[in-house]
Amino acid sequence: MAVVGVLALQGSYNEHMSALRRIGVKGVEVRKPEQLQGLDSLIIPGGESTTMAKLANYHNLFPALREFVGAGKPVWGTCAGLIFLANKAVGQKLGGQELVGGLDCTVHRNFFGSQLQSFETELSVPMLADKEGGSNTCRGVFIRAPAILEVGSDVEILAECPVPSGRPSITIPSAEGVEEEVYSKDRVIVAVRQGSILATAFHPELTSDCRWHRFFLDMDKESHPKAFSALSLSSSSRGSEGGSKTKPFDLPIFE
Ligand SMILES: NC(=O)CC[C@H](N)C(=O)O
């Protein structure tokens, strides 16, 4: 059976573990480098990326995380996890923070503002409906959320979000990195895929819609078909959009 790890240093790892349970998959909490061995895929949750990076450093996790990403094993970063996976981050705290990298993009760490500017919105994600069924949109829960400013040519854009009008204006380094310019587009990228890396600026694990988790597991399945032979992700555990009816929800989620 495929083994899905969830980086459990800080942030919404319990919610990811719970979302995995809802679709009949047992997640494994990861806190030490050696726990990455034997995993087929990994979720890096949201939380606070500077704190998470300090904890990851403390536990000497960065080399092992880079190796995991470099090996082409599926990795999904949500929110702070997206920041971890970006090759470049701007808007960081003084002194910056270490990144795992691997995802060819520039991310703004607090693009949508502070806690007070957190919001929910309906996002258009036709890819999700194509692959996992259900509606063309999903609920996007954005909490002190980052956004992706630029992507490389290998990165597939899965979702964009209109930039909320009340959001404080942010400056971003210009291409040369010297001058600063104000972000002026009316839309911004919030979900991408680059090969085995999936990244979302929002929190699917806080909603009852399990399609992002299923999509991620399907990526895992593509790369390790054998590991999934014993995993019953079809019929019984897939259920309808909104999660399996057979397993009780054990954490509060947004309906
Ligand atoms: N909900 C989140 O994960 C927020 C991430 C936050 N902007 C950060 O740095 O780390």
Side-chain angles (χ1 to χ4, degrees), residues 10 12 45-52 78-81 83 91 93 97 108-111 113 115 141-146 201 203:
Q10 189 263 339
S12 64
E48 208 288 320
S49 58
T50 318
T51 308
M52 217 187 283
T78 55
C79 208
I83 300 169
K93 286 187 183 160
Q97 71 203 62
H108 190 292
R109 196 180 136 259
N110 270 336
F111 181 86
Q115 184 75 16
V141 180
F142 291 83
I143 304 174
R144 303 184 313 279
H203 289 267

Side-chain angles (χ1 to χ4, degrees), residues 80-224:
L82 150 66
I83 300 169
F84 254 51
L85 290 172
N87 279 349
K88 185 176 172 195
V90 296
Q92 291 159 292
K93 286 187 183 160
L94 206 62
Q97 71 203 62
E98 194 161 349
L99 304 173
V100 173
L103 178 59
D104 186 11
C105 75
T106 303
V107 77
H108 190 292
R109 196 180 136 259
N110 270 336
F111 181 86
F112 291 100
S114 67
Q115 184 75 16
L116 287 177
Q117 280 90 37
S118 296
F119 64 101
E120 287 185 43
T121 189
E122 213 58 31
L123 292 171
S124 170
V125 197
M127 175 289 297
L128 204 56
D130 276 1
K131 303 266 188 196
E132 305 297 330
S135 119
N136 263 339
T137 63
C138 77
R139 195 78 188 144
V141 180
F142 291 83
I143 304 174
R144 303 184 313 279
I148 299 166
L149 305 176
E150 281 171 0
V151 291
S153 54
D154 290 342
V155 179
E156 183 189 355
I157 296 171
L158 303 179
E160 290 186 326
C161 176
V163 177
S165 51
R167 179 188 131 282
S169 75
I170 56 147
T171 52
I172 53 173
S174 66
E176 295 73 41
V178 189
E179 294 158 41
E180 298 217 315
E181 38 185 66
V182 174
Y183 188 84
S184 58
K185 295 182 199 158
D186 57 359
R187 299 179 70 75
V188 70
I189 301 164
V190 292
V192 294
R193 178 180 180 178
Q194 179 187 343
S196 57
I197 301 178
L198 176 67
T200 53
F202 48 94
H203 289 267
E205 77 284 7
L206 298 182
T207 75
S208 59
D209 183 349
C210 293
R211 287 178 301 163
W212 283 101
H213 288 81
R214 287 196 195 110
F215 176 68
F216 180 60
L217 285 158
D218 287 342
M219 284 170 54
D220 196 346
K221 210 169 175 178
E222 281 167 23
S223 58
H224 305 95

